[in-house]
């Protein structure tokens, strides 16, 4: 039973364009959502988060949007850069429960 | 500042051999500690987590076990490895417990069971 789903295993975007990574969840109890970025053979690093009381959070080139009614969140990267090429994981939690991660989306930014 | 150390970086083990992966955290007290595994096509799967010394919660029944002998030390073990235990193992920590926790990950161990 996958509570956090990233249905696109991969995404290719041209440098300078917008990258949009999507994530869906099934557990309506989730109230905190995060995005992590992972390079090969390294641990994931925290990118940006959003609480369920908000519908948007922005940090530089990265913006996360949350649509609670659709149980959907997305990460926008504008403009995309070659260094953004990595696997992006969506994660969610509620209360004191551990983070639940999606399977990840591999983003390739082409110069 | 807080740091997390995880070793070894890579490990090749024969089927049936034992396993011990160690993780230590510095610069914080009473962290929550986690073991995740990234297997092909499976994303990041939570294996174990601990909120204190000797307190271990297991998320997935399997061939592995975890122990927390000290506040900032978390060990992942197996008595006999299976081929299916191959994967990228990640230790992580967080502080809090009131929700809205960020996890901070170690650099991972790539385990190949042959």
């Amino acid at each position: 039973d996958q509570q956090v789903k990233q249905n696109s295993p991969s995404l290719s975007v041209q440098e300078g364009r917008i990258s949009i990574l999507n994530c869906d969840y099934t557990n309506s109890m989730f109230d905190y959502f995060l995005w992590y970025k992972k390079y090969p053979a390294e641990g994931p690093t925290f990118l940006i988060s959003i609480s369920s009381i908000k519908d948007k959070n922005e940090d530089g080139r990265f913006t996360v949007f949350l649509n609670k009614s659709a149980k959907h969140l997305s990460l926008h990267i504008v403009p995309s850069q070659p260094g953004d090429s990595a696997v992006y994981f969506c994660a969610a939690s509620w209360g004191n429960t551990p983070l639940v991660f999606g399977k990840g989306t591999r983003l390739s930014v082409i110069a | 500042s807080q740091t997390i150390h995880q070793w070894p970086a890579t490990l090749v083990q024969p089927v049936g051999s034992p396993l011990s992966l160690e993780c230590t955290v510095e610069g914080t007290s009473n962290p929550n500690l986690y073991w995740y595994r990234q297997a092909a096509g499976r994303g990041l799967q939570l294996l174990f987590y601990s909120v204190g010394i000797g307190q271990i919660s297991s998320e997935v029944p399997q061939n592995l076990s975890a122990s927390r002998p000290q506040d900032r030390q978390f060990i992942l073990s197996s008595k006999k490895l299976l081929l299916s235990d191959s994967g990228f193992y990640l230790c992580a920590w967080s502080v809090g417990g009131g929700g809205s926790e960020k996890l901070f990950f170690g650099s991972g161990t790539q385990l190949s069971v042959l």
Side-chain angles (χ1 to χ4, degrees), chain A residues 20-48:
Chain A
I20 301 176
L21 296 101
N22 294 303
C23 178
D24 297 294
Y25 60 95
T26 58
N27 189 342
S28 58
M29 297 293 292
F30 286 146
D31 59 7
Y32 184 57
F33 304 89
L34 308 88
W35 285 94
Y36 279 80
K37 177 179 177 180
K38 184 182 181 302
Y39 293 117
E42 294 184 9
T45 55
F46 170 76
L47 197 55
I48 193 169

Side-chain angles (χ1 to χ4, degrees), chain A residues 32 36 38 43 46 95-96 98-99, chain B residues 36 38 49 97 99-101 103 106:
Chain A
Y32 184 57
Y36 279 80
K38 184 182 181 302
F46 170 76
N96 295 332
L99 291 181
Chain B
Y36 282 84
Q38 183 185 16
Y49 70 97
S100 300
E101 292 182 40
L103 289 185

